[in-house]
Amino acid sequence: MSGASEMPPTGDGRPHRVAVLALDGAYPFELGVPSRVLGAADGRYEVVLCSVDGGPIETNAGFSVVPQHGPQALASADTVIVTPVETSRLTRKLPTAVASALALVRPGTRIASICSGGFILAAAGLLDGRVATTHWESAELFRAWYPHIRLDEGVLFVDEDEVLTSAGAASGVDLCLHLIRTDHGSQLANHAARRCVVAPFREGGQAQYIERPIPEDAISSTSATRHWALEQLGERLTVEDLARHAHMSARTFVRHFQAETGMPPGQWLTRQRLARARDLLESTDLTAEQISLQIGFATAASLRQHLHAELGVSPMAYRRAFRTGGSSS
């Protein structure tokens, strides 16, 4: 899921301040992701690492990390990112020190989590009434502890405007690129992705990484057909067209496709078309009608309907948010 809300302005021209909360049992990789990815966005973000008491934290890799900031950094943050810890360190209720630190976060501050950091947000009551995600291996425990929260372990991240959650490890990269894309548009997000040598946007969701009790048939793959489909987005592609290209029956193709991407072919095609539409809205003066023809939607009305369902905005509103000087669409 994704949103199109703009980054809250700092008002004084300073970079958007991001406080990364580190807890005992942290994974070192995820601790460094926000600084590395957001730091590749040409100075748009200031990223600081903090702990709940200002002291060092133990990682799960046999060494400690000494953050330069204490919990006060949360009070001045525009965005807070809660990093994950080993599940053995999690508790259903927040430790007092963690609760006190999170209480310093100003109302309206954007807050996000990576992997098991979602448990922290859930225990703090920040996910009540929202959709959330976490690592698929922890989904059963999450549901047992927080049955009132709607969990979707099949996606890489969930954007609920002011609160975002992401799945395990590398999905923290996806989340941070999404923050850049939401705040500043696809061009800067793509630039940051290139600097980090990662994909700007990963296809599918977490479902493609979930271990299955019965091994999938690896003889056939839909990857070549997906690559072909991206070159044919302007055409009215059907499942039968895709299956024919993959030399499979439609039923077999759909089964393989969903196992590999985590979604049906039609949903995947719509997402690719919307991604292309967003890029064209940001980088060209093409009208909604012209863009619709290029990406395979039957009419501009269809583009508007899909974009509104995905992001809650019209093509014109999206262009105004992410590009200046564009023509009306």
Side-chain angles (χ1 to χ4, degrees), residues 59-237:
T59 71
N60 72 334
F63 60 86
S64 297
V65 170
V66 183
Q68 292 183 319
H69 300 272
Q72 294 76 18
L74 300 173
S76 61
D78 302 303
T79 294
V80 170
I81 299 178
V82 179
T83 54
V85 299
E86 285 187 318
T87 53
S88 62
R89 300 280 193 127
L90 294 171
T91 56
R92 189 170 185 173
K93 294 185 178 180
L94 281 183
T96 301
V98 178
S100 298
L102 289 177
L104 298 174
V105 178
R106 296 172 298 174
T109 299
R110 184 169 62 185
I111 187 163
S113 66
I114 301 174
C115 192
S116 62
F119 281 78
I120 307 300
L121 301 194
L126 295 170
L127 298 181
D128 292 354
R130 302 180 187 272
V131 180
T133 193
T134 190
H135 195 291
W136 61 268
E137 286 186 313
S138 303
E140 184 177 352
L141 178 62
F142 191 98
R143 286 196 172 94
W145 283 5
Y146 312 111
H148 59 290
I149 296 173
R150 291 175 291 164
L151 184 71
D152 183 355
E153 72 269 34
V155 297
L156 295 174
F157 60 84
V158 174
D159 182 341
E160 289 268 311
D161 294 326
E162 290 183 353
V163 181
L164 302 92
T165 51
S166 64
S171 65
V173 175
D174 300 302
L175 173 70
C176 290
L177 288 173
H178 174 72
L179 293 178
I180 299 172
R181 188 178 300 110
T182 299
D183 295 343
H184 300 292
S186 296
Q187 289 186 325
L188 185 59
N190 294 346
H191 169 70
R194 285 193 297 270
R195 291 187 67 184
C196 296
V197 198
V198 296
F201 186 85
R202 282 198 289 168
E203 298 175 1
Q206 237 188 132
Q208 61 190 305
Y209 303 106
I210 296 176
E211 292 180 356
R212 305 178 188 278
I214 301 175
E216 295 292 336
D217 180 3
I219 295 175
S220 299
S221 171
T222 64
S223 60
T225 297
R226 277 180 273 138
H227 179 77
W228 171 80
L230 289 175
E231 297 176 345
Q232 313 294 325
L233 283 184
E235 304 297 325
R236 307 287 175 78
L237 297 174

Side-chain angles (χ1 to χ4, degrees), residues 1 5 47 84 112 127 133 163 199-200 216 234 262 270 305 324:
M1 301 180 65
S5 58
V47 184
L127 298 181
T133 193
V163 181
E216 295 292 336
T270 297
Q305 179 183 356
T324 58

